[in-house]
């Protein structure tokens, strides 16, 4: 519920009603005005008293002069029969004893009468004036109220309808049932796991962002701010649709229609909200054709736009959905924005411009691309931190895992999603990947290819679970790579998939740690206790799926099945699925969080891995970084508003 706010207006406080507010603010304002009126009356009486006292008090100096009757007093408005002129031309009265005294008393008396009358008249005028002002104030309040009622009416009428645009080709939304019975069995198991995750959330966490499967209640993190935006519902919609879980999908749709409201006072992550909510809603729209998802995506996108109001146009990491105020994470180097955050908006924003006809979305992301293109890059690498005020890099830290990852992914996918017409994006991707291969990709002593992290000129031989997505990215980008290096990139993808599988296989639970090292005789294992957890992440399974689609090597299905079984065995509890704190312990403890990306990504990639390739073909669909499929836009035939070449 929203609360009424009192805003200063012309030195007074006028109530601003918010949706759902009663007449309470008006009542409160009336009380304040009455109090103010009484105060003004007291004040005016006090001033009047002082004013009167000033005139009524005996004027000693005057008396002295009269009494003496000797000094000349300058009273120009009193005529005197004995007047004459000094040389200076001033009128002079001369004192004349008892007669004069009598006259002075009369004058004083008439002066007092005059002041009394003036005083009463002033008081009367003040009263009238105040009465009149109060009416004016009430009239103003009424005007304000009318305005608010009008605004509410406009809001109730809903947002303006969007222009009709042709629906991009929606291909391969079918059952995708595999021919082989054993594969079908595995796929059925994944669907069952999805149902368990969804039903548990439905029962214990409905409307909350995520679920605590052990405590059996709702959960949220700071990326969603202080909100109940139903992140799991929005993130899971397209998975439910693809798996044919139609009742569950309908349930989710109903919740979105009735409850999803972005007018909340919550400071959210622009990146997370974009990939999970806008991506999820757009995918649900394209798959189901239900307008409500498109409308909600656009409403949310409008709320994100203020985040771009920075000196450089590089958006803040967080924005308050209600106030539009943005800021960056406190932990980010020198107040910087994060490469993987401001660099992971392109796919969704291009679709938003396509669907709304509003060029702003496209222009915002193209502005980011142009700004980055102009910057110097140390060793050809993109640092993870960029200050949105100064436009300068922060710490020189480059990673294909956390903080950098999906920036590279979106360069490639911008090209694919444009039907390969966005060659600028492809070139930027190729150059970036070349520098990464040169500086970050290494082979361990045991022959495992890994992607390290670059920190101020030094390579840290550590790879994060997040970086495992890159195996799939290299495979996806193989076709179309320069100098006919398709084979090389497919091979690189396979090597990363192998390394990441090893990171799973070398644990007790057969689930991968958050980060693993290739140092001092260690190969693909976590060293620090705080890197041994698994939080239901998808990246390794994502890479298995892409590798499966491009090679059909059965080992990828085998590896995917190993992971699915381990998740079902070690992460499943009666209230859903939970992350585990130590994959090297045979007796792990739970973190008690069912992440929304478990339904959006992990389960979806597993399901696709055991489906036939004609379900969501990669020629027609591009999956955003949260695994939400968006259709290819044939930009060779379509001109996006805002993309026209500048007029000369
Ligand atoms: C997801 O939210 C997205 O894949 C994002 O790009 C980074 N990783 C998480 C899940 O691990």
């Amino acid at each position: 519920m929203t609360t009424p706010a009192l805003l200063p207006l012309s030195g007074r406080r006028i109530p601003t009603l918010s949706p759902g507010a009663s007449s309470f603010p008006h009542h409160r304002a009336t009380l304040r005005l009455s109090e103010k009126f009484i105060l003004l009356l007291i004040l005016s009486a006090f001033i009047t008293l002082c004013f009167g006292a000033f005139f009524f008090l005996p004027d000693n100096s005057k008396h002295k002069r009269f009494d003496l009757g000797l000094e000349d007093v300058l009273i120009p408005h009193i005529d005197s029969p004995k007047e004459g002129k000094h040389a200076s031309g001033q009128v002079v009265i001369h004192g004349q004893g008892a007669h004069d005294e009598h006259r002075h008393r009369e004058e004083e008396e008439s002066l007092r009468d005059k002041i009394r009358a003036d005083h009463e008249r002033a008081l009367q005028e003040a009263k009238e004036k105040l009465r009149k002002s109060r009416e004016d104030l009430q009239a103003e309040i009424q005007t304000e109220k009318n305005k608010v009622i009008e605004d509410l009416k406009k809001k109730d009428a809903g947002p303006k309808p969007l222009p009709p645009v042709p629906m991009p080709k929606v291909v391969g939304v079918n059952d995708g049932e595999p021919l082989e019975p054993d594969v079908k069995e595995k796929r059925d198991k994944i669907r069952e796991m999805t149902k368990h995750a969804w039903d548990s959330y439905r029962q214990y966490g409905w409307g909350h962002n995520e679920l605590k499967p052990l405590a059996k209640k709702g959960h949220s993190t700071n990326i969603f701010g202080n909100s109940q935006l139903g992140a799991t519902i929005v993130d899971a919609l397209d998975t439910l649709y693809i798996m044919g879980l139609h009742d569950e999908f309908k349930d989710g749709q109903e919740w979105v229609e009735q409850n999803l409201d972005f007018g909340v006072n919550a400071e959210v992550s622009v990146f997370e909200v974009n990939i999970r909510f806008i991506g999820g809603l757009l995918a649900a729209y394209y798959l189901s054709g239900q307008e409500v998802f498109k409308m909600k995506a656009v409403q949310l996108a409008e709320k994100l736009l203020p985040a771009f109001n920075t000196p450089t146009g590089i958006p803040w990491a967080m924005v308050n959905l209600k106030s539009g105020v943005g800021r960056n994470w406190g932990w980010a180097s020198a107040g910087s924005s994060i490469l993987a955050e401001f660099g992971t908006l392109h796919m969704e924003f291009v679709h938003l411009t396509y669907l709304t006809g509003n060029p702003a979305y496209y222009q915002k992301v193209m502005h980011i691309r142009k700004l980055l293109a102009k910057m110097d890059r140390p060793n050809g690498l993109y640092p993870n931190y960029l200050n949105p005020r100064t436009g300068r890099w922060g710490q020189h830290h480059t990673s294909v895992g956390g903080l950098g990852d999906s920036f590279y992914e979106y360069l490639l996918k911008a090209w694919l999603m444009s039907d390969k017409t966005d060659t600028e994006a492809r070139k930027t991707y190729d150059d970036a990947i070349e520098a990464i291969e040169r500086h970050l990709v290494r082979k361990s002593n045991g022959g495992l290819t890994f992607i390290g992290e670059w920190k101020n000129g030094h390579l840290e031989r550590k790879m994060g679970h997040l970086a495992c997505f890159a195996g799939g990215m290299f495979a996806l980008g193989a076709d179309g790579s320069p100098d006919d290096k398709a084979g090389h990139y497919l091979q690189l993808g396979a090597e990363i998939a192998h390394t990441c599988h090893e990171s799973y296989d070398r644990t007790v639970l057969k689930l991968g740690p958050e980060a693993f090292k290739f140092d001092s005789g260690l190969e693909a294992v976590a060293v620090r206790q705080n890197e041994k957890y698994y939080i239901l992440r998808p990246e390794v399974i994502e890479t298995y799926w892409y590798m499966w689609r491009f090679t059909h090597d059965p080992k990828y299905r085998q590896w995917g099945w190993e992971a699915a079984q381990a998740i079902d065995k070690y992460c499943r509890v009666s209230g859903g699925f939970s992350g585990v704190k130590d994959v090297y312990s045979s007796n792990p403890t739970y973190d008690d969080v069912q992440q929304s990306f478990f339904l959006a990504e992990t389960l979806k990639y597993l399901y696709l891995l055991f489906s036939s390739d004609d379900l969501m073909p990669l020629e027609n669909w591009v999956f955003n970084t949260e695994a939400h499929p968006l259709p290819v836009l044939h930009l060779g035939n379509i001109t996006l508003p805002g993309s026209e070449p500048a007029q000369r």
Side-chain angles (χ1 to χ4, degrees):
M1 278 294 278
T2 44
T3 48
L6 288 170
L7 300 174
L9 181 70
S10 313
R12 285 172 288 117
R13 290 172 90 82
I14 296 291
T16 302
L17 290 181
S18 46
S22 65
S23 57
F24 167 69
H26 177 212
H27 173 63
R28 191 158 78 170
T30 311
L31 275 182
R32 282 168 183 267
L33 287 170
S34 310
E35 286 164 13
K36 192 177 276 184
F37 175 62
I38 290 161
L39 273 175
L40 277 171
L41 267 181
I42 293 167
L43 195 67
S44 111
F46 178 69
I47 291 168
T48 311
L49 198 71
C50 296
F51 184 71
F54 176 78
F55 281 97
F56 283 114
L57 278 176
D59 185 342
N60 286 340
S61 62
K62 208 195 253 180
H63 276 291
K64 207 171 164 189
R65 277 190 278 175
F66 274 123
D67 288 348
L68 286 173
L70 302 172
E71 290 179 16
D72 297 335
V73 180
L74 304 178
I75 311 177
H77 66 278
I78 298 177
D79 284 343
S80 164
K82 300 245 170 166
E83 68 183 22
K85 284 194 178 189
H86 276 185
S88 63
Q90 290 168 323
V91 179
V92 177
I93 295 175
H94 298 280
Q96 292 176 31
H99 174 72
D100 281 352
E101 211 168 291
H102 177 70
R103 235 188 76 211
H104 290 152
R105 235 178 275 128
E106 276 180 358
E107 282 168 0
E108 274 189 359
E109 195 53 46
S110 90
L111 197 59
R112 270 195 204 101
D113 289 346
K114 190 173 179 299
I115 289 168
R116 213 173 283 126
D118 282 353
H119 175 205
E120 269 164 22
R121 199 175 48 248
L123 201 62
Q124 193 55 33
E125 275 174 13
K127 275 183 190 167
E128 274 166 22
K129 201 163 191 177
L130 280 171
R131 207 173 299 131
K132 206 173 155 206
S133 297
R134 189 180 182 201
E135 280 155 11
D136 281 351
L137 288 176
Q138 277 172 341
E140 277 180 38
I141 289 166
Q142 193 52 48
T143 314
E144 282 289 318
K145 272 174 76 179
N146 292 344
K147 205 172 145 258
V148 171
I149 289 165
E150 277 307 303
D151 287 351
L152 284 176
K153 268 194 208 151
K154 270 189 218 151
K155 220 185 152 199
D156 284 348
K160 273 199 282 165
L162 297 171
V165 288
M167 188 75 157
K169 251 209 312 207
V170 175
V171 178
V173 185
N174 58 35
D175 184 60
E177 187 167 294
L179 295 174
E180 312 88 327
D182 64 313
V183 179
K184 187 180 170 324
E185 211 177 291
K186 287 175 179 131
R187 193 172 90 132
D188 288 347
K189 174 65 189 169
I190 305 302
R191 195 197 277 112
E192 185 279 324
M193 287 168 70
T194 307
K195 245 194 92 51
H196 178 59
W198 174 264
D199 290 346
S200 303
Y201 168 78
R202 178 77 183 83
Q203 189 173 356
Y204 306 118
W206 194 237
H208 290 265
N209 289 317
E210 293 177 319
L211 166 70
K212 285 175 92 62
L214 286 114
K216 296 187 172 167
K217 60 179 191 185
H219 168 78
S220 197
T221 61
N222 62 342
I223 59 173
F224 305 119
N226 176 28
S227 73
Q228 274 196 32
L229 292 170
T232 296
I233 300 173
V234 180
D235 233 3
L237 282 168
D238 53 6
T239 302
L240 300 172
Y241 196 92
I242 290 169
M243 291 187 184
L245 293 169
H246 297 304
D247 290 345
E248 290 77 2
F249 180 85
K250 266 192 80 187
D251 224 6
Q253 177 175 343
E254 248 170 60
W255 186 90
V256 168
E257 277 163 354
Q258 290 163 18
N259 301 289
L260 189 55
D261 172 16
F262 301 114
V264 290
N265 183 10
E267 194 181 45
V268 300
S269 155
V270 174
F271 158 77
E272 297 287 358
V273 159
N274 176 57
I275 65 168
R276 299 188 199 213
F277 283 81
I278 296 188
L281 289 164
L282 290 178
Y285 165 66
Y286 284 121
L287 288 169
S288 70
Q290 296 294 312
E291 290 281 314
V292 61
F293 298 124
K294 178 169 69 170
M295 298 306 286
K296 294 283 177 183
V298 174
Q299 283 169 19
L300 175 56
E302 277 169 19
K303 300 273 181 187
L304 297 188
L305 285 178
F308 291 80
N309 295 335
T310 64
T312 56
I314 294 290
W316 299 117
M318 285 173 282
V319 72
N320 184 303
L321 291 177
K322 193 168 197 136
S323 67
V325 173
R327 70 180 174 103
N328 274 343
W329 303 111
W331 49 261
S333 159
S336 291
S337 301
I338 308 295
L339 182 69
E341 298 197 334
F342 64 77
T344 309
L345 303 166
H346 193 98
M347 293 178 66
E348 296 80 4
F349 275 43
V350 165
H351 270 279
L352 286 165
T353 286
Y354 175 70
L355 291 172
T356 61
N358 179 357
Y361 303 106
Y362 178 78
Q363 286 165 344
K364 301 268 180 232
V365 288
M366 288 308 283
H367 175 79
I368 296 175
R369 185 191 284 180
K370 289 205 175 77
L371 193 136
L372 288 177
K374 276 192 251 157
M375 294 189 65
D376 281 340
R377 297 195 303 278
N379 294 309
L381 297 169
Y382 289 86
N384 290 338
Y385 300 104
L386 179 59
N387 188 313
R389 293 182 200 277
T390 62
R392 293 209 195 94
W393 297 120
Q395 230 173 25
H396 283 192
H397 176 187
T398 297
S399 162
V400 182
L403 309 183
D405 47 10
S406 42
F407 162 69
Y408 307 99
E409 178 185 353
Y410 269 37
L411 292 174
L412 174 65
K413 290 182 175 175
W415 174 68
L416 289 168
M417 206 186 74
S418 69
D419 198 20
K420 304 186 179 172
T421 58
D422 187 352
T423 49
E424 184 181 65
R426 175 77 218 206
K427 170 93 176 75
T428 313
Y429 169 78
D430 289 332
D431 292 348
I433 293 306
E434 197 191 302
I436 281 166
E437 235 195 306
R438 192 168 340 116
H439 296 289
L440 270 64
V441 176
R442 294 287 180 272
K443 206 164 250 200
S444 72
N445 294 339
L448 295 178
T449 302
F450 68 94
I451 313 173
E453 305 209 346
W454 187 259
K455 287 189 174 161
N456 299 318
H458 167 78
L459 183 76
E460 197 176 352
R461 295 169 70 86
K462 181 169 98 175
M463 184 167 173
H465 191 288
L466 289 165
C468 286
F469 94 96
M473 179 179 72
F474 293 141
L476 185 63
D479 183 32
S481 58
D483 309 324
D484 207 15
K485 281 166 78 181
H488 167 76
Y489 283 115
L490 201 58
Q491 173 61 21
L492 185 57
E495 288 177 22
I496 297 298
H498 173 60
T499 300
C500 293
H501 175 252
E502 286 301 307
S503 79
Y504 274 51
D505 207 39
R506 295 176 189 199
T507 70
V508 172
L509 304 188
K510 305 294 174 198
L511 291 169
E514 181 68 4
F516 39 95
K517 288 223 161 192
F518 299 87
D519 224 353
S520 330
L522 293 171
E523 298 262 329
V525 290
V527 180
R528 291 162 61 168
Q529 192 55 40
N530 65 0
E531 292 172 346
K532 293 182 178 172
Y533 61 86
Y534 173 68
I535 56 167
L536 306 170
R537 285 198 192 279
E539 291 77 17
V540 176
I541 294 165
E542 174 182 351
T543 279
Y544 295 161
W545 175 59
Y546 280 108
M547 291 309 301
W548 165 255
R549 280 274 169 111
F550 290 112
T551 67
H552 286 147
D553 185 332
K555 75 180 176 202
Y556 295 115
R557 276 189 167 165
Q558 176 54 34
W559 291 351
W561 185 237
E562 285 168 15
Q565 283 177 299
I567 291 171
D568 202 48
K569 187 165 176 189
Y570 297 111
C571 301
R572 186 175 184 136
V573 293
S574 68
F577 288 86
S578 166
V580 289
K581 290 186 181 164
D582 186 350
V583 290
Y584 300 95
S585 160
S586 52
N587 193 16
T589 47
Y590 298 109
D591 70 1
D592 198 12
V593 181
Q594 179 176 286
Q595 307 274 351
S596 79
F597 54 65
F598 180 59
L599 287 102
E601 300 189 76
T602 314
L603 291 164
K604 187 189 285 143
Y605 285 132
L606 278 170
Y607 188 80
L608 291 171
L609 181 62
F610 298 109
S611 298
S612 56
D613 290 1
D614 59 348
L615 175 60
M616 313 301 294
L618 287 172
E619 298 74 44
N620 304 92
W621 296 93
V622 186
F623 288 72
N624 88 341
T625 193
E626 188 78 358
H628 296 306
L630 300 175
V632 168
L633 290 176
H634 296 275
L635 293 181
N637 312 327
I638 306 164
T639 305
L640 285 176
S643 70
E644 303 88 354
Q647 301 289 313
R648 281 179 175 272

